Amino acid sequence: MNEILRDVDVVVIGAGQAGLSSAYHLARTGIEHVVLDHAPRPGGAWQYRWPSLTYGRVHGMHALPGMELTGADGLRPSSEVIGEYFAAYEDRFDLRVRRPVDVSAVREGADGRLRVESSDGVWSARALINATGTWDRPFWPRYPGQETFRGRQLHTANYPGPREFAGARVIVVGGGTSAVQHLLEIAEVAAGTTWVTRRPPVFRDGGFGEAEGRAAVALVDERVRRGLPPQSVVSVTGLPLNEAVRAGLDSGVLDRRPVFERLTPTGATWADGSGVDADVVLWATGFRAAVDHLAPLRLREPGGGIRMEGTRAVRDERIHLVGYGPSASTIGANRAGGAAVREIRRLLARERAGAPAL
C-alpha cells in the first residue's frame, strides 16, 4: 500500500501557550499549517495541574496574543480557568487543533522537507515549530536505597493535592516554586514534613521588574546558545518571598535540609547519621524538555542541549523551538511564537525564490 503524505508548510507540535501563540501568528501571516496536540482537550500542561493550585496562586500567567483573560475567579482551579481560556482562544481564532495526536518522530524527508510521523498519519512540512514543553518528561533523580523504600513515591507531575497526605510523614525533594507550594499546603494536614534540596534555596525579597526579568532570561539564553541543556527561568530568579513563604519560614515548615545520603525502607538517612521516618517521598525535581521525537534530526550538541539562535536550531534552520530555554515562560512563549513565524516566513520566501539555505 502506498503511504499517504499530507503536505503543509509548517507543522506545530503542541498546543500550550507557545503552540497557540505560534498558530495565531501563522494564521495571521497566511502560512499553511497544522497544529498537532497530544492532550485530550485544550489547556496545554495546565489541564494536568493539581486542583489546589487555584488561578489566584498561579506564578504568572500572561495572556495569549490578541485575547486577554479577563474576569477569572481566582478561587477556581487554574486547570479549569486556563483550560477554558485556551479553548475559547482556539475557537475565536479558528485554530483547528488536531487532538489527541502523538508525534513519534521527525525525520529528514524528500526534497528537503521534514517528515513528521504521528498517530494521525505522516505530514510533510517545510518547517516545524516544536512547542512540546516539559510536562511529559518529569525528572526523577536516582539515590541509593530508592528501590527499597516501602512508602509511596510520586512526582509533581502526578501530585493530587494535599488531602491524600493527611496524617502522613512526607519528604519533599526540590528547591523550586512547586516544592514550596507543596510543602505549605501539605504541612497543614500531614503528621510531619521534611524539605530537602541540593543547594540552599535563594529567596527573592522585593520587586521583580523588567530589568530583572531580562537579566534572568539572558542567563538561560546564554546556556542554549552554547548547546547546553536549558535551565528554567525560575531557577535563576530565586523564590519569591511573599507572606505565605515568610510564614512557612517562621513556622519551620521551610526549614531546609541538604539532600539525604540514601533512602531506607522506612525513610531517609544523612551522612551525619541522622534520619527521618517517612511514608511518602514527593519529588518536586522539575522537568526536562520533551524533544525525543526530534532525535532523528541529530540536533543535540556534545553538551547535551540543542544549540539555539533565537528560536531556531543552529543545526537545522527549519526547526524552531518555542517554550524552550529562555522562552519557557508564558510571556516568553508568546514572543517566541511571533519570532519563530517571522523567521519561517523569510525561510519560505527564500525557498520560493530559489535562494540557498543559510
Coordinates of all heavy atoms in Angstrom, one line a residue, residues 143-207:
Y143 N 18.8 8.0 43.8 CA 19.5 8.0 45.1 C 19.6 6.5 45.6 O 18.7 5.7 45.4 CB 18.9 8.9 46.1 CG 19.1 10.3 45.8 CD1 18.1 11.1 45.1 CD2 20.2 11.0 46.2 CE1 18.3 12.4 44.9 CE2 20.4 12.3 46.0 CZ 19.5 13.0 45.3 OH 19.7 14.4 45.0
P144 N 20.7 6.2 46.3 CA 20.8 4.9 46.9 C 19.6 4.5 47.8 O 19.1 5.4 48.5 CB 22.1 5.0 47.7 CG 22.9 6.1 47.1 CD 21.9 7.0 46.6
G145 N 19.2 3.3 47.7 CA 18.1 2.8 48.5 C 16.7 3.2 48.0 O 15.7 2.8 48.6
Q146 N 16.6 3.9 46.9 CA 15.3 4.4 46.4 C 14.4 3.2 46.1 O 13.2 3.3 46.4 CB 15.5 5.2 45.1 CG 14.4 6.1 44.7 CD 14.8 7.1 43.7 OE1 16.0 7.2 43.4 NE2 13.9 7.8 43.1
E147 N 14.9 2.1 45.6 CA 14.1 1.0 45.3 C 13.6 0.2 46.5 O 12.7 -0.7 46.4 CB 14.8 0.0 44.3 CG 16.0 -0.7 44.9 CD 17.3 0.2 45.1 OE1 17.3 1.3 44.7 OE2 18.2 -0.3 45.7
T148 N 14.2 0.5 47.7 CA 13.9 -0.3 48.9 C 12.8 0.4 49.7 O 12.2 -0.2 50.6 CB 15.1 -0.5 49.8 OG1 15.5 0.7 50.4 CG2 16.3 -1.1 49.0
F149 N 12.6 1.7 49.4 CA 11.6 2.5 50.2 C 10.2 1.9 50.1 O 9.7 1.7 49.0 CB 11.6 4.0 49.7 CG 10.7 4.8 50.5 CD1 10.8 5.1 51.8 CD2 9.6 5.4 49.8 CE1 9.9 5.9 52.5 CE2 8.7 6.3 50.5 CZ 8.9 6.5 51.8
R150 N 9.6 1.6 51.2 CA 8.3 0.9 51.2 C 7.1 1.8 51.1 O 6.0 1.4 51.0 CB 8.2 0.0 52.4 CG 9.2 -1.2 52.4 CD 8.8 -2.3 53.4 NE 8.8 -1.8 54.8 CZ 9.8 -2.1 55.6 NH1 10.9 -2.8 55.2 NH2 9.8 -1.6 56.9
G151 N 7.4 3.1 51.3 CA 6.3 4.1 51.2 C 6.0 4.4 49.8 O 6.4 3.8 48.8
R152 N 5.3 5.5 49.6 CA 4.8 6.0 48.3 C 5.8 7.0 47.7 O 6.3 7.9 48.5 CB 3.4 6.6 48.4 CG 2.8 7.0 47.1 CD 1.5 7.7 47.3 NE 0.8 8.1 46.1 CZ -0.3 8.9 46.1 NH1 -0.9 9.3 47.2 NH2 -0.8 9.2 44.9
Q153 N 6.1 6.9 46.4 CA 6.9 7.9 45.8 C 6.1 8.5 44.6 O 5.5 7.7 43.8 CB 8.2 7.3 45.2 CG 9.2 6.8 46.3 CD 10.5 6.4 45.7 OE1 11.2 7.2 45.1 NE2 10.8 5.1 46.0
L154 N 6.1 9.8 44.5 CA 5.4 10.4 43.4 C 6.1 11.7 43.0 O 6.9 12.2 43.8 CB 3.9 10.7 43.7 CG 3.5 11.7 44.7 CD1 2.1 12.1 44.5 CD2 3.7 11.2 46.2
H155 N 5.7 12.2 41.9 CA 6.3 13.4 41.3 C 5.3 14.5 41.2 O 4.1 14.3 41.2 CB 6.9 13.1 39.9 CG 7.8 14.2 39.3 ND1 7.3 15.3 38.7 CD2 9.1 14.3 39.3 CE1 8.3 16.0 38.3 NE2 9.4 15.4 38.7
T156 N 5.8 15.8 41.1 CA 4.9 16.9 40.9 C 3.9 16.7 39.8 O 2.8 17.1 39.8 CB 5.7 18.2 40.6 OG1 6.4 18.6 41.9 CG2 4.8 19.3 40.2
A157 N 4.4 16.0 38.7 CA 3.5 15.7 37.6 C 2.3 14.9 37.9 O 1.3 15.1 37.2 CB 4.3 14.9 36.5
N158 N 2.3 14.2 39.0 CA 1.0 13.5 39.4 C 0.7 13.8 40.8 O 0.0 13.0 41.5 CB 1.1 12.0 39.2 CG 2.4 11.3 39.8 OD1 3.1 12.0 40.5 ND2 2.6 10.1 39.5
Y159 N 1.0 15.0 41.3 CA 0.6 15.4 42.6 C -0.9 15.6 42.7 O -1.5 16.3 41.9 CB 1.4 16.8 42.9 CG 1.0 17.4 44.2 CD1 1.3 16.9 45.4 CD2 0.3 18.6 44.2 CE1 1.0 17.5 46.6 CE2 -0.1 19.3 45.3 CZ 0.3 18.7 46.5 OH -0.1 19.4 47.7
P160 N -1.5 15.0 43.7 CA -3.0 15.0 43.7 C -3.6 16.2 44.5 O -4.8 16.3 44.6 CB -3.3 13.7 44.3 CG -2.2 13.4 45.3 CD -1.0 14.1 44.6
G161 N -2.8 17.0 45.2 CA -3.3 17.9 46.1 C -3.0 17.4 47.6 O -2.6 16.3 47.8
P162 N -3.2 18.3 48.6 CA -2.8 17.9 49.9 C -3.6 16.9 50.6 O -3.1 16.2 51.6 CB -2.9 19.3 50.7 CG -3.9 20.0 49.9 CD -3.8 19.6 48.5
R163 N -4.9 16.6 50.3 CA -5.7 15.8 51.0 C -5.2 14.4 51.2 O -5.3 13.8 52.3 CB -7.1 15.7 50.4 CG -7.9 17.0 50.5 CD -9.3 16.9 49.9 NE -10.0 18.1 49.9 CZ -11.2 18.3 49.4 NH1 -11.8 17.2 48.8 NH2 -11.9 19.4 49.4
E164 N -4.5 13.8 50.2 CA -4.0 12.5 50.2 C -2.9 12.3 51.2 O -2.4 11.2 51.4 CB -3.7 12.0 48.8 CG -4.9 11.8 47.9 CD -4.5 11.0 46.7 OE1 -3.6 10.2 46.7 OE2 -5.2 11.2 45.7
F165 N -2.4 13.4 51.7 CA -1.2 13.3 52.6 C -1.6 13.5 54.1 O -0.7 13.6 55.0 CB -0.2 14.4 52.2 CG 0.3 14.2 50.8 CD1 -0.3 14.9 49.8 CD2 1.4 13.4 50.5 CE1 0.2 14.8 48.5 CE2 1.8 13.2 49.2 CZ 1.2 13.9 48.2
A166 N -2.9 13.5 54.4 CA -3.4 13.7 55.7 C -2.8 12.6 56.7 O -2.9 11.4 56.4 CB -4.9 13.6 55.8
G167 N -2.2 13.0 57.7 CA -1.6 12.1 58.7 C -0.3 11.4 58.3 O 0.2 10.6 59.0
A168 N 0.2 11.8 57.1 CA 1.4 11.1 56.6 C 2.7 11.9 57.0 O 2.6 13.1 57.2 CB 1.3 10.9 55.1
R169 N 3.8 11.2 57.0 CA 5.1 11.9 57.2 C 5.7 12.0 55.8 O 5.9 11.0 55.1 CB 6.0 11.1 58.1 CG 5.5 10.9 59.5 CD 6.1 9.8 60.3 NE 5.8 8.5 59.6 CZ 6.2 7.3 60.1 NH1 7.0 7.3 61.1 NH2 5.9 6.2 59.4
V170 N 6.0 13.2 55.3 CA 6.3 13.5 53.9 C 7.6 14.2 53.8 O 7.9 15.1 54.5 CB 5.2 14.4 53.3 CG1 5.5 14.6 51.8 CG2 3.8 13.8 53.5
I171 N 8.5 13.6 52.9 CA 9.7 14.3 52.5 C 9.4 14.9 51.1 O 9.0 14.2 50.2 CB 10.9 13.3 52.3 CG1 11.2 12.6 53.7 CG2 12.1 14.0 51.8 CD1 12.2 11.5 53.6
V172 N 9.7 16.2 51.0 CA 9.6 16.9 49.7 C 11.0 17.2 49.2 O 11.7 17.9 49.9 CB 8.7 18.2 49.8 CG1 8.7 18.9 48.5 CG2 7.3 17.8 50.3
V173 N 11.3 16.8 48.0 CA 12.6 17.0 47.4 C 12.5 18.0 46.3 O 11.8 17.8 45.4 CB 13.2 15.6 46.9 CG1 14.6 15.8 46.4 CG2 13.1 14.5 47.9
G174 N 13.3 19.0 46.4 CA 13.3 20.0 45.3 C 13.4 21.4 45.8 O 12.8 21.7 46.9
G175 N 14.0 22.3 45.1 CA 14.2 23.7 45.6 C 13.4 24.8 44.8 O 13.7 25.9 44.9
G176 N 12.4 24.4 44.0 CA 11.7 25.3 43.2 C 10.4 25.8 43.8 O 10.0 25.4 44.9
T177 N 9.6 26.5 43.0 CA 8.4 27.1 43.4 C 7.4 26.0 43.8 O 6.6 26.1 44.7 CB 7.8 28.0 42.4 OG1 8.7 29.0 42.1 CG2 6.5 28.6 42.8
S178 N 7.3 24.9 42.9 CA 6.4 23.8 43.2 C 6.6 23.2 44.5 O 5.7 22.8 45.3 CB 6.4 22.8 42.1 OG 6.0 23.3 40.9
A179 N 7.9 22.9 44.9 CA 8.2 22.3 46.1 C 7.7 23.1 47.3 O 7.2 22.6 48.3 CB 9.8 22.1 46.2
V180 N 7.9 24.4 47.2 CA 7.5 25.3 48.3 C 5.9 25.3 48.4 O 5.4 25.2 49.5 CB 8.0 26.8 48.0 CG1 7.3 27.8 49.0 CG2 9.5 26.8 48.2
Q181 N 5.2 25.4 47.3 CA 3.8 25.3 47.3 C 3.3 24.0 47.9 O 2.4 24.0 48.7 CB 3.2 25.5 45.9 CG 3.4 26.9 45.3 CD 2.9 27.0 43.9 OE1 2.7 26.0 43.2 NE2 2.8 28.2 43.4
H182 N 3.9 22.9 47.5 CA 3.5 21.6 48.0 C 3.7 21.6 49.5 O 2.8 21.2 50.3 CB 4.4 20.5 47.4 CG 4.2 20.3 45.9 ND1 3.1 20.7 45.3 CD2 5.0 19.7 45.0 CE1 3.2 20.4 44.0 NE2 4.4 19.8 43.8
L183 N 4.9 22.0 50.0 CA 5.1 22.0 51.4 C 4.1 22.8 52.2 O 3.6 22.4 53.3 CB 6.6 22.5 51.7 CG 7.7 21.5 51.5 CD1 9.0 22.3 51.3 CD2 7.8 20.6 52.7
L184 N 3.9 24.0 51.8 CA 3.0 24.9 52.5 C 1.6 24.3 52.7 O 1.0 24.5 53.8 CB 2.9 26.3 51.9 CG 4.2 27.1 51.9 CD1 4.1 28.4 51.1 CD2 4.7 27.4 53.3
E185 N 1.1 23.6 51.7 CA -0.3 23.1 51.8 C -0.3 21.7 52.5 O -1.2 21.4 53.2 CB -1.0 23.1 50.5 CG -0.4 22.4 49.4 CD -1.2 22.5 48.1 OE1 -1.9 23.6 48.0 OE2 -1.2 21.6 47.2
I186 N 0.7 20.9 52.2 CA 0.8 19.6 52.8 C 1.0 19.7 54.3 O 0.4 18.9 55.1 CB 1.9 18.7 52.2 CG1 1.6 18.3 50.8 CG2 2.2 17.5 53.0 CD1 2.7 17.7 50.0
A187 N 1.8 20.7 54.8 CA 2.1 20.8 56.2 C 0.8 21.0 57.0 O 0.8 20.7 58.2 CB 3.1 22.0 56.4
E188 N -0.2 21.5 56.4 CA -1.5 21.8 57.1 C -2.2 20.5 57.5 O -3.0 20.5 58.4 CB -2.4 22.7 56.3 CG -1.8 24.1 56.1 CD -2.7 25.0 55.3 OE1 -3.9 24.5 55.0 OE2 -2.4 26.1 55.0
V189 N -1.9 19.4 56.8 CA -2.7 18.2 57.1 C -1.8 17.0 57.4 O -2.2 16.0 57.9 CB -3.5 17.8 55.8 CG1 -4.5 18.9 55.5 CG2 -2.6 17.5 54.6
A190 N -0.5 17.1 57.2 CA 0.5 16.0 57.4 C 0.9 15.8 58.8 O 0.8 16.8 59.6 CB 1.7 16.1 56.5
A191 N 1.3 14.6 59.2 CA 1.9 14.4 60.5 C 3.2 15.1 60.6 O 3.6 15.5 61.8 CB 2.0 12.9 60.8
G192 N 3.9 15.3 59.5 CA 5.2 16.0 59.6 C 5.8 16.1 58.2 O 5.5 15.3 57.3
T193 N 6.6 17.1 57.9 CA 7.2 17.3 56.6 C 8.7 17.6 56.8 O 9.1 18.2 57.8 CB 6.6 18.5 55.8 OG1 6.7 19.7 56.6 CG2 5.1 18.3 55.5
T194 N 9.4 17.2 55.8 CA 10.9 17.4 55.7 C 11.2 18.0 54.3 O 10.8 17.3 53.3 CB 11.7 16.2 56.0 OG1 11.3 15.6 57.3 CG2 13.2 16.5 56.0
W195 N 11.9 19.1 54.3 CA 12.2 19.7 53.0 C 13.7 19.5 52.7 O 14.5 19.9 53.5 CB 11.9 21.1 53.0 CG 12.1 21.8 51.7 CD1 12.1 21.3 50.4 CD2 12.4 23.2 51.5 NE1 12.3 22.2 49.4 CE2 12.5 23.4 50.0 CE3 12.5 24.3 52.3 CZ2 12.7 24.7 49.5 CZ3 12.7 25.6 51.8 CH2 12.8 25.8 50.4
V196 N 14.1 18.9 51.6 CA 15.5 18.7 51.2 C 15.7 19.3 49.8 O 14.9 19.1 48.9 CB 15.9 17.2 51.3 CG1 15.7 16.7 52.7 CG2 15.1 16.4 50.3
T197 N 16.9 19.9 49.7 CA 17.3 20.5 48.4 C 18.8 20.2 48.2 O 19.5 20.1 49.1 CB 17.0 22.0 48.3 OG1 17.9 22.7 49.2 CG2 15.6 22.3 48.7
R198 N 19.2 20.2 46.9 CA 20.6 20.0 46.6 C 21.4 21.3 47.0 O 22.6 21.1 47.5 CB 20.8 19.7 45.1 CG 20.4 18.3 44.7 CD 20.9 18.0 43.3 NE 20.3 18.9 42.3 CZ 21.1 19.5 41.4 NH1 22.4 19.4 41.4 NH2 20.5 20.3 40.6
R199 N 20.8 22.4 46.8 CA 21.5 23.7 47.1 C 20.6 24.5 48.0 O 19.4 24.4 48.0 CB 21.8 24.5 45.8 CG 22.8 23.8 44.9 CD 23.1 24.7 43.7 NE 21.9 24.9 42.9 CZ 21.6 24.0 41.9 NH1 22.4 23.0 41.6 NH2 20.5 24.2 41.1
P200 N 21.2 25.3 48.9 CA 20.4 26.2 49.7 C 19.5 27.0 48.9 O 19.9 27.6 47.9 CB 21.4 27.0 50.5 CG 22.7 26.2 50.5 CD 22.7 25.5 49.1
P201 N 18.2 27.1 49.2 CA 17.3 28.0 48.4 C 17.6 29.5 48.6 O 18.1 29.9 49.6 CB 15.9 27.7 49.0 CG 16.2 27.2 50.4 CD 17.5 26.5 50.4
V202 N 17.4 30.2 47.5 CA 17.6 31.6 47.5 C 16.2 32.3 47.4 O 15.5 32.1 46.4 CB 18.5 32.0 46.3 CG1 18.6 33.6 46.2 CG2 19.9 31.4 46.4
F203 N 15.9 33.1 48.4 CA 14.6 33.8 48.4 C 14.8 35.2 47.9 O 15.8 35.9 48.3 CB 14.0 33.8 49.8 CG 13.6 32.4 50.3 CD1 14.5 31.7 51.1 CD2 12.4 31.9 49.9 CE1 14.2 30.4 51.5 CE2 12.1 30.6 50.3 CZ 12.9 29.9 51.1
R204 N 13.9 35.7 47.0 CA 14.0 37.0 46.4 C 13.0 37.9 47.2 O 11.8 37.8 47.1 CB 13.6 36.9 45.0 CG 13.8 38.2 44.2 CD 13.2 38.1 42.8 NE 11.8 38.0 42.7 CZ 11.0 37.0 42.3 NH1 11.6 35.9 41.9 NH2 9.7 37.1 42.3
D205 N 13.6 38.9 47.8 CA 12.7 39.9 48.5 C 12.7 41.1 47.7 O 13.6 41.5 47.0 CB 13.4 40.2 49.9 CG 12.4 40.9 50.8 OD1 11.2 41.1 50.4 OD2 12.8 41.3 51.9
G206 N 11.5 41.7 47.6 CA 11.3 42.9 46.8 C 10.8 42.6 45.4 O 10.4 41.5 45.1
G207 N 10.7 43.6 44.6 CA 10.1 43.5 43.3 C 10.9 42.8 42.3 O 12.1 42.5 42.5

